[in-house]
Amino acid sequence: MKKEIVKIGVIGLRRGRNVIAEVIDDENIVLRAICDKNPERLESARKYFEEEKKVENLLCFESIDEILESDIDAVYIATDATLHTPQVIQALNAGKHVISEIPTINTIEEAKMLKEAVKAH
């Protein structure tokens, strides 16, 4: 049976860096892209993944729009709590599978928005 490889991206490298570092040793997961609005954090994570974890062809982005336009299959979102709902919806609309680091909703309105987005995909 052929194993499917999942190309994953990470948005939010303050906490996301450590979590994804633990799972990329799985033979079915390839870290393809990382994203953080902080250029220093992005560069630090790039060096870590390329040099210590031996990740090849890593894409680096400062914008969620850019990472969602890349060829990733799934995205791990590890940003501030208030950003999760809109970012999860944006990722779903981009056709990506989504892993949210924390509970995604902060209000009833966000719960309704997220429910509609999930139903649409």
Side-chain angles (χ1 to χ4, degrees):
M1 179 200 272
K2 181 182 175 190
K3 292 184 180 183
E4 187 170 336
I5 303 297
V6 177
K7 294 178 285 186
I8 195 163
V10 180
I11 302 172
L13 297 169
R14 186 175 26 215
R15 294 179 314 276
R17 171 181 165 162
N18 295 332
V19 171
I20 210 65
E22 295 299 318
V23 299
I24 61 172
D25 292 331
D26 185 293
E27 62 187 35
N28 297 331
I29 296 174
V30 172
L31 178 60
R32 179 73 176 119
I34 56 176
C35 177
D36 199 290
K37 64 183 179 181
N38 180 307
E40 292 82 20
R41 189 177 303 129
L42 182 63
E43 178 61 16
S44 173
R46 182 197 64 75
K47 282 183 181 178
Y48 169 75
F49 286 118
E50 288 181 348
E51 295 172 11
E52 294 188 37
K53 289 299 212 171
K54 307 299 183 207
V55 174
E56 297 178 1
N57 304 315
L58 184 64
L59 303 172
C60 300
F61 303 105
E62 290 183 27
S63 152
I64 188 173
D65 294 330
E66 293 174 314
I67 194 171
L68 294 177
E69 290 173 2
S70 74
D71 66 344
I72 59 172
D73 302 309
V75 65
Y76 180 82
I77 298 178
T79 55
D80 295 334
T82 57
L83 300 174
H84 276 241
T85 297
Q87 289 176 341
V88 167
I89 292 169
Q90 185 178 358
L92 288 171
N93 288 338
K96 309 301 181 188
H97 296 280
V98 180
I99 305 160
S100 182
E101 172 200 32
I102 58 173
T104 304
I105 57 171
N106 297 294
T107 66
I108 295 298
E109 187 57 39
E110 284 184 351
K112 292 175 184 177
M113 290 170 31
L114 187 58
K115 179 181 176 184
E116 290 305 312
V118 169
K119 281 174 48 177
H121 299 281

